[in-house]
Structures are given as C-alpha cells and as structure tokens.
Amino acid sequence: MVDFSRRQALAATAGAAALAAAASSTRAAARPAAAPPVPALPAVDLAPRERLSLDFDWRFKLGHAQDPARDFGFGANQGTYAKAGRTAAPAELDFDAGAWAPVTLPHDWAVELPFVDNPAYVPSGKPDDGDPRAAHGYKPLGREFPETSIGWYRKTFALPAADAGKRLSIEFDGAFRDALVIVNGYILEREDSGYSPFRVDITDIANVGGDNSLVVRVDASLGEGWFYEGAGLYRHVWLVKTAPVHVPQWGVFVRARVDGTLSIDTDLVNEGDARAEFELLHTVLDAAGRPVLTPAAAPGRLPAWERQSLSLTVTLPSPVPWTLENPHLYSLVTEVKVGGAVVDRYVTRFGVRSVVFDADKGFLLNGASVKLKGTCNHQDHAGVGAAIPDALQVWRLEQLKSMGCNAYRASHNPPTPELLDACDRLGIVVIDETRRMSSDPTSMDELERLVRRDRNHPSVILWSIGNEEPQQATARGAKVAATMKRLVNRLDPSRLVIAAMDQGFGEGISAVIDVQGFNYRHEKMDDFHARFPHVPVIGTESASTVSTRGEYARDDAKAYVPAYDTEHPWWATTAEKWWSHAADRPWMAGGFIWTGFDYRGEPTPFNRWPSVSSHFGALDTCGFPKDNYYYYRAWWRPEPLLHLLPHWNWEGREGQPIAVWAHSNCDKVELFLNGKSQGVRDVVPNHHVEWSVPYAPGVIEAHGYKAGKVILRERRETAGPAAALRLTADRSRVAADGQDVAILKVEVLDAKGRSVPRADDLISFTLSGPGQVIGVGNGDPTSHESDLASQRKAFNGLAQAIVRTRRGQAGELRVTASAPGLKASTVSVAVGD
C-alpha cells in the first residue's frame, strides 16, 4: 500500500516550524504568533497503483565531456546508437559501481564543486559589465570544464514477478540538464530541459522478477539561465506501476467554481491488447478525509491501445473555499473498474476559489480584493544548492509568510512539485513560469507539461510565458506569445496569461497577454494605466534592493553593501520606494520583490570575483532575515512591529555619527542612547524613521507608540567578546524517512547572552544518532567555504546546518556546535514515524 504522496506528509510535518527568531525578547512580544500546524491531508491508498520513491541507494561519479576514456567509454566510437541494449559500461547489470559515491536524491553535484576564479576576465568599464562566470556563482560548469560538467548516476532495483502484466514507468520531476536515461542497457529517453518533468516507459525492457539497472547520464555543459542552476538529479524520481487500463500522468483536471460546480475531465488509456469495458468512479473528500460527494459511476468501453477523455459536471454541496487564511483542500479520488474490480486509483488535490484580475481593483480572490505581496525566488539554498529537501521548501515558504508574503513567483522556470504542494497547503498564491519563450515544438512541449502538471493547484493564479525577452516589444514576439497563449488556453481556460516585461510596455506581446507584468520601471505604470485603463497591472519584479546581512557600510574590497535599504542597481529601486508606490494604487494588483532569498550567482553590484552569491534577498542564502525583511513585515502584516538597526558595536568610531533606523508600523518611535532621548519621529505609512546618533558604547533603545502609549520596546546593546554558542532547531521532531531535515541555527553570544554582531568564529558540528549533516552555510556572499562540510565560519554572528534523517532509523539526534574558546551548545531532535 502506498500513500498518495510522501511529500504531502513532509509538508504537514514541517508546517509547525516557528517564525524567524527575534534578536531580542522585546521584539518577541510584538511578533506574530507562530502559525498553527498545517493539518495532514488524508492519506489515500492507491492500490493497485503504486508510486514508489527511487530516491535512495544511488551511486554517483563524474564523467568527462570530451574524453571518452574518462567517460566510461561512452561515445568512444560511432556505435552508441547502433544496437539497442548496448550503450556504455555503467549500464550493464553486472557493472561494479562500488567505488562511486553513494548519494540520496535530490542531489546537486555542482554545490560540491570548488569555486574557481576567472583570471581571463578583464572589466570593460561599462555599467552592466560583469564576469560571465559570476552569474553562475563561479562553479566549474560549462564547456570550459569538461571534467566536472558530466555526472553519471546509477542504481539497481528489483521488480517482483507479480509485476508481470503491469505498465511500468519512471517519472523524473526534473534533472539538470540534458539527461540520458538508460535502463538495462537501453537508451529510452533524452530530456534536454533542466526543469521540465518527464516520464520514461520501461515496460518492454524491464526485468520482471529480477534486478534492473537504471543509469542516468546528466550533461550540465550548457545552461538555461543566467543564475546558479545546479547540476544532476536535483528533484525526485519515482517508479510507477499501473494496470493496462489506467489514468495517465496528469490525467485528471478539476475546475471548481465558488458555487460548488465541479467540471471534471478524466483521461483514460488502455495499454493492453484487449478491449476493456470499464466503470469510472469519483469520490470527493474534504480536508478531513470525509466523503462529501460521490457521483454515479460512468460506464464505458476503451479499445486496445487507445486514449479516451470523459467529462463530468457535478455540484459540490456547501463548498469550503480555498483562501489565504484557510487554504482548504479537497481530494478527488478517481477509481477505474474493469470486470467489477478496481484496477486503478488516482488522487487529485484541488481547491474551490475564484481568481480575477481587475484593471481598477487589482487582484480579487473569491471576490475580495487582495494586494499581492510577493517574492521571486530561485531554487537554491545554502548547503544544498538546487537539491532542496521537501521540508526545507516548506520552511523557506514559512519564512516568507512570516514576513507577510502571500505570493510567490517561480523565477524563471517550472518549480519543483513539492513547492506548489506547500503553497497549496500554506495559502500562498503563485505565478507559474515556463523557462523558454518560444513556439518551437520543444518549448511548446515543455509549456504543455507545465500546464498539465500544475493546473489543479489552487495556488496557481497566472501562467507566465516569458521574462524580459529580447522579442518582447516586437511583432515576432507577439506571434510567439499568441501561439503559446493559445496552447495555455486550450489546456486551462480558467487562468490568465502574463509575461514579465522590462521595456516596450504597450507594444509587442502587451497586446497578447492578459495581465501586464512590469519588471521594475514602476514610474511608468501610471502612464501605462492611463493609456490602457482596461489592462490589469502587476509588478512581476520589484525593488531589487541590494544589501548584505549585518553590514552597514559599503565595502568594495569585501564586496559588501549596507543593509539600510539605500543601495540598488540603476534599473531598480529601494524596497520603500516601490512598495509605497504600489500600496497607494488600488488598481495595481501588487508585486513580487526580487528576491525573497539570496541565491548563488548574479552578485550585483559586484559581478566579479570573489562574489559568489546575490545580495537581492530580504533573507540571505540561509534564510536569516536581513533588515529589509522587517520593513516588509511592518507593512505586510497587521501586527505591531518595531525593528531597530544597526547593531551597537562601533569600536573606534566613538563620537562619530551613526545612522540609526527603525522599521515600524507604530504611530511614533522615540530613540534613546544610554537613557537620553534622541527625539521622537512620526511614522509615515510604508516608510521608515531614522536618526543620526554620535556613537557611545552602551544601549540604544527605541519605544514604539500607539495612541500615545508605549506598546513596543527594542534595544541594541554593545556586546562583549564572543563567549558561547546557542544552537536551536526549527522543530523538535522529524520523520525517520531518510528525507526529512532539521534546520539548525547557530548564534554567537557574549558572556551576558547578547548576540555578537561581527563574530566570525569557526563552528564545528558533531552529530550522534540517526542522521547526518548534509550542508552548512552562513549567508556570506563572498564565502568560498565548502557547503558539504562539518564546519563553517559564522558570518556576522550566525551560521546554519541542515541535518537529514536516515531511512528507517528512529531515535534521538544530538547535534553539538562548538568553536575554539567558546562554550558549546547542543540540541536534541526526536526522529520517528
């Protein structure tokens, strides 16, 4: 018996993660309460269908893009495709891969590689000039690095004799990039896309009743983006077993209206030699797993080797809407009967909601106006690169939601399915984006797979067909966009189409898309709205403020920028400037900041060595909040908030003025230095307040006033030397499934328990119990330390470790963080079912 989805359970387990820890106890009183645990979705037994994880027991080895002798002989002669079943040595069943590295998926081999400088780069002096290798984070991938751009994955798996007569396939959620799939020596599939899911039918060549070899050769020599993309099998892989008559992949589409009307389209295939008389049955379960609707069975006849589509319209009684506050999910269980026996079960999650983009009112969810407070993000996190575990996907979304974020743009490619599952569960809406804006057959096929896979997700509100494309303002671009939109509308008539443009607004593809996306250029929105008053407008990329966590002065030598919300590229703006513009215009649906998290590559404004990651995030690569996080939280959430910056350790600057800011949604804020008032500032909505204070060691303290009363206090104290570590975990219990993770935070403290803001101590992690450290980080955009290590220097007082459980091993995980001369800290995490 197989539950519907392991990733759903992981999302539920991770749902109770606490909000980002505050730097002081006074802020904790003002912080929103931690979100309640997300209830688990009902587990549905899919038998006789099976969908089994193939994430475990892989072996990995780098190959070579130019030398066949170092690529296991692959392509050594012109006979690679001469005879089916004869390809390369690793594909042989008796091949010994014992010397290859054991890996568990998701796996990103790029994050394991060293950082490599580019001494050939000579700056041109142009404003947007940058080292091309900086864009991808100085990892040695590409045609210049043949020895580290090819990866071989290999595993064996057994198929019992009982699988005879079943249809067998392997589903890849994504691989970066150019994946060649070889099963039992047969080349069965080549997938170019680094982001699209793909399926491989192995029925004809599977060894039923014996062992099977699965080999995937991944070639990351060519990229698809201008950002770090990782390399390898960085998403999940599944083995799927069905009867000959079954629902194919993504074969059910549910359109739910707020009045309870359900339109259900179901595809059936008969991959057998005999005609089948069948019955199709549907049952709708509510979020608690209770049946709420069971339409009458639909009989039919399906000829051998044919596909058939069936449509049904029914009414759901007393529908519970999917909202941001209560993201209620229904489950449609589809059963196929042949000869009176159930031969297949398929589950589709969906939500009941209406989505409208109005040129005057902005975005409306279920008829209510909602300002979209969104972030753009790449799939990348400190320690693990692009291979983000499911629970970490949820944790990242929870950090964004704690900031007040209610929307997510998958930039600039199809996201992993687990991210959309989590958005469904957490109440976050999504712009779902394809990778390439082109109408060639390959790009159209990738677009079709995206829409078919994701069209049941209630979180998805728009399909994006492009981002800052060279053709965006041209007649040719309009033709391409029209072809892509026509396909999207055929597959999903319930959602609108958008593209993210940075020029040519009102020209080219603007006439084709339904919603006008603005990348920056917010100063042009008013004119566009006046010229095209019937076109909805949204900021698809906004702000692009650059800041380095814990830094408060620009340092070109270290490639750091201050965290005051003052720095941005020429084409961007500050957080405050764009949001104050968006908040005051009801016709503007909202926007998506670039970005929620820092990510490897694009290290603007220092697009050169030694910079290896961006500065754009409201949170750093570890998910530690920067000061701008609190600006957004002050205006994106209703709870009173007061955040004070910077730290108060400015040795050597006694008497010199220090810029002190507060992000707050109080009426007024008063600042004190060592008990002496520095003045009261009125808080203008969507803006910050500031003072210039001559530095003196001690305490700065801010008081936040509402209706004349102090409701919040926030302080920064001059800390002493580092004396101790504090180690905490995001959760007290994780699953013993070999995939769940605990996210550990290390803080460096002085003898009085105060954070030491500039600490850079080398922290070591030791672990006992059923788990392993799979990655470490600190958020430093110029750090060249290894992500796959048991130690990491703190950056401005913080570091992170990610610990993964071991499959089937319960017990207690004990992790200790230690550093020379500092008091160590230990945290325990229970591991169980």
Side-chain angles (χ1 to χ4, degrees):
M1 292 185 177
V2 184
D3 287 348
F4 165 61
S5 173
R6 174 188 51 76
R7 64 177 182 253
Q8 303 282 12
L10 275 177
T13 304
L19 298 178
S24 70
S25 60
T26 53
R27 188 188 310 140
R31 191 173 68 217
V38 179
L41 291 175
V44 178
D45 181 7
L46 295 185
R49 175 188 288 258
E50 293 182 84
R51 191 168 190 259
L52 308 172
S53 173
L54 288 182
D55 286 347
F56 300 98
D57 303 322
W58 289 85
R59 294 281 176 166
F60 173 79
K61 184 74 172 177
L62 287 172
H64 202 282
Q66 295 178 357
D67 185 354
R70 288 185 282 174
D71 203 34
F72 307 102
F74 183 74
N77 56 56
Q78 292 296 98
T80 303
Y81 290 92
K83 296 289 185 180
R86 297 178 183 175
T87 50
E92 300 298 326
L93 191 60
D94 60 355
F95 178 81
D96 183 7
W100 292 21
V103 297
T104 297
L105 306 186
H107 175 251
D108 173 8
W109 89 70
V111 78
E112 304 174 13
L113 301 176
F115 298 97
V116 177
D117 192 4
N118 181 16
Y121 169 64
V122 178
S124 69
K126 296 179 180 179
D128 288 333
D129 180 51
D131 186 348
R133 290 189 191 170
H136 290 259
Y138 286 105
K139 289 295 186 176
L141 291 174
R143 297 189 66 190
E144 296 173 293
F145 301 98
E147 67 280 2
T148 50
S149 295
I150 301 290
W152 287 81
Y153 292 85
R154 189 183 192 278
K155 73 169 283 142
T156 60
F157 63 96
L159 292 171
D163 285 343
K166 295 181 180 179
R167 303 302 300 181
L168 306 170
S169 62
I170 299 174
E171 294 179 357
F172 293 81
D173 285 344
F176 199 90
R177 183 193 177 270
D178 191 1
L180 194 70
V181 180
I182 309 170
V183 179
N184 294 333
Y186 288 75
I187 296 176
L188 298 185
E189 184 66 54
R190 179 176 177 177
E191 175 59 47
D192 289 338
S193 171
Y195 301 99
S196 294
F198 61 99
R199 174 180 174 272
V200 181
D201 191 309
I202 67 170
T203 305
D204 290 346
I205 53 81
N207 294 324
V208 176
D211 290 333
N212 296 263
S213 69
L214 169 59
V215 172
V216 186
R217 182 182 184 268
V218 182
D219 186 346
S221 298
L222 301 179
E224 296 185 49
W226 48 98
F227 42 86
Y228 177 85
E229 299 180 276
L233 298 181
Y234 72 110
R235 294 182 178 177
H236 296 301
V237 179
W238 308 89
L239 173 64
V240 179
K241 307 176 184 181
T242 68
V245 179
H246 63 276
V247 177
Q249 186 181 35
W250 315 318
V252 177
F253 179 28
V254 182
R255 283 169 286 170
R257 297 186 178 183
V258 292
D259 64 359
T261 302
L262 300 184
S263 298
I264 305 171
D265 297 326
T266 307
D267 289 347
L268 287 181
V269 293
N270 180 1
E271 294 178 333
D273 294 326
R275 183 183 67 184
E277 307 283 342
F278 68 84
E279 280 188 303
L280 183 66
L281 302 92
H282 296 295
T283 301
V284 178
L285 310 178
D286 66 12
R290 296 182 296 258
V292 293
L293 178 65
T294 306
R301 177 181 299 169
L302 191 54
W305 301 105
E306 287 197 10
R307 185 181 185 120
Q308 191 175 112
S309 296
L310 300 94
S311 296
L312 174 68
T313 299
V314 292
T315 301
L316 185 66
S318 304
V320 179
W322 186 92
T323 67
L324 302 184
E325 300 75 22
N326 179 33
H328 186 277
L329 289 173
Y330 288 95
S331 302
L332 175 69
V333 181
T334 300
E335 294 183 329
V336 183
K337 286 186 176 181
V338 175
V342 174
V343 297
D344 190 34
R345 282 192 180 91
Y346 191 90
V347 175
T348 306
R349 311 290 189 187
F350 70 94
V352 177
R353 92 285 185 273
S354 69
V355 167
V356 172
F357 283 87
D358 186 274
D360 295 319
K361 300 178 182 178
F363 173 66
L364 291 87
L365 180 63
N366 302 325
S369 180
V370 175
K371 184 72 80 171
L372 294 177
K373 305 165 183 174
T375 66
C376 302
N377 294 282
H378 291 309
Q379 183 168 325
D380 178 25
H381 192 89
V384 295
I388 299 180
D390 297 351
L392 182 54
Q393 295 277 17
V394 176
W395 183 87
R396 284 164 57 89
L397 288 170
E398 287 178 323
Q399 308 317 300
L400 296 176
K401 192 166 184 178
S402 74
M403 186 174 72
C405 175
N406 61 16
Y408 188 103
R409 178 177 171 219
S411 314
H412 303 284
N413 48 263
T416 188
E418 291 75 26
L419 182 128
L420 294 181
D421 290 341
C423 287
D424 287 345
R425 305 284 303 285
L426 293 171
I428 298 173
V429 296
V430 176
I431 295 180
D432 210 354
E433 190 160 283
T434 194
R435 173 70 291 276
R436 293 188 290 180
M437 185 180 173
S438 178
S439 54
D440 65 89
T442 299
S443 298
M444 293 293 282
D445 178 59
E446 292 176 10
L447 177 60
E448 178 164 354
R449 278 181 273 167
L450 169 71
V451 176
R452 286 189 179 275
R453 186 194 70 173
D454 296 346
R455 60 188 177 178
N456 289 304
H457 287 282
S459 59
V460 175
I461 58 172
L462 286 168
W463 302 111
S464 176
I465 60 171
N467 177 77
E468 299 182 6
E469 304 299 330
Q471 59 191 326
Q472 60 190 327
T474 68
R476 176 181 292 165
K479 292 179 182 179
V480 170
T483 299
M484 297 178 75
K485 183 184 174 186
R486 185 165 54 248
L487 173 64
V488 171
N489 291 160
R490 177 174 63 81
L491 296 171
D492 177 21
S494 68
R495 293 178 180 87
L496 301 181
V497 171
I498 192 173
M501 299 177 64
D502 65 340
Q503 59 178 298
F505 306 105
E507 303 172 7
I509 67 175
S510 285
V512 177
I513 56 180
D514 302 308
V515 179
Q516 179 64 59
F518 271 78
N519 279 12
Y520 318 106
R521 316 298 194 270
H522 72 271
E523 70 281 357
K524 296 185 178 183
M525 290 181 179
D526 291 355
D527 176 66
F528 179 89
H529 181 61
R531 290 192 297 132
F532 303 97
H534 303 299
V535 178
V537 172
I538 191 170
T540 37
E541 281 181 31
S542 303
S544 269
T545 309
V546 289
S547 63
T548 308
R549 177 183 58 77
E551 296 292 325
Y552 297 97
R554 182 172 174 127
D555 189 328
D556 285 26
K558 292 183 178 179
Y560 295 153
V561 284
Y564 282 113
D565 189 25
T566 56
E567 302 281 324
H568 59 82
W570 67 264
W571 36 263
T573 187
T574 62
E576 187 171 306
K577 189 170 184 179
W578 94 265
W579 177 246
S580 60
H581 180 275
D584 290 341
R585 287 158 175 78
W587 50 264
M588 185 177 171
F592 294 75
I593 66 171
W594 191 266
T595 52
F597 294 86
D598 282 347
Y599 54 93
R600 289 170 175 80
E602 286 197 311
T604 306
F606 305 106
N607 295 302
R608 52 174 169 74
W609 186 266
S611 296
V612 295
S613 74
S614 79
H615 300 257
F616 291 119
L619 304 102
D620 68 15
T621 54
C622 293
F624 297 137
K626 302 181 189 179
D627 293 292
N628 270 353
Y629 164 98
Y630 295 99
Y631 166 76
Y632 287 116
R633 187 155 150 178
W635 304 113
W636 283 8
R637 294 190 68 120
E639 303 89 352
L641 182 128
L642 176 59
H643 173 75
L644 186 62
L645 64 146
H647 59 74
W648 207 239
N649 276 68
W650 298 100
E651 297 82 356
R653 293 192 58 183
E654 287 76 8
Q656 297 180 25
I658 303 294
V660 177
W661 285 28
H663 293 308
S664 180
N665 51 19
C666 293
D667 299 335
K668 300 174 185 292
V669 178
E670 184 174 12
L671 182 69
F672 297 85
L673 171 61
N674 295 326
K676 183 179 179 180
S677 177
Q678 304 298 299
V680 178
R681 301 287 187 267
D682 292 329
V683 177
V684 178
N686 303 309
H687 292 74
H688 74 282
V689 293
E690 64 178 279
W691 301 258
S692 179
V693 181
Y695 176 65
V699 179
I700 54 171
E701 182 171 299
H703 293 180
Y705 294 86
K706 278 281 189 182
K709 295 182 178 180
V710 176
I711 62 167
L712 294 174
R713 290 180 172 87
E714 173 86 341
R715 60 194 280 134
R716 294 284 179 265
E717 296 188 40
T718 304
L725 301 178
R726 179 164 61 203
L727 180 65
T728 54
D730 69 310
R731 288 176 291 153
S732 60
R733 187 175 185 85
V734 290
D737 60 0
Q739 290 280 10
D740 204 1
V741 296
I743 298 104
L744 307 183
K745 175 183 178 182
V746 185
E747 302 167 270
V748 182
L749 309 176
D750 70 2
K752 294 184 177 180
R754 297 171 297 199
S755 297
V756 181
R758 291 175 173 165
D760 62 355
D761 301 82
L762 180 62
I763 300 168
S764 298
F765 299 94
T766 56
L767 183 149
S768 63
Q772 62 181 124
V773 176
I774 62 169
V776 293
N778 60 13
D780 182 354
T782 59
S783 173
H784 297 165
E785 298 169 90
S786 174
D787 285 76
L788 274 69
S790 59
Q791 62 182 26
R792 188 74 169 213
K793 292 182 70 174
F795 176 61
N796 289 334
L798 297 176
Q800 183 178 80
I802 301 170
V803 176
R804 187 174 63 201
T805 62
R806 297 187 185 277
R807 183 172 48 156
Q809 297 182 26
E812 182 185 37
L813 271 174
R814 288 181 58 84
V815 184
T816 297
S818 59
L822 306 186
K823 183 180 179 181
S825 181
T826 299
V827 67
S828 295
V829 179
V831 181
D833 296 332

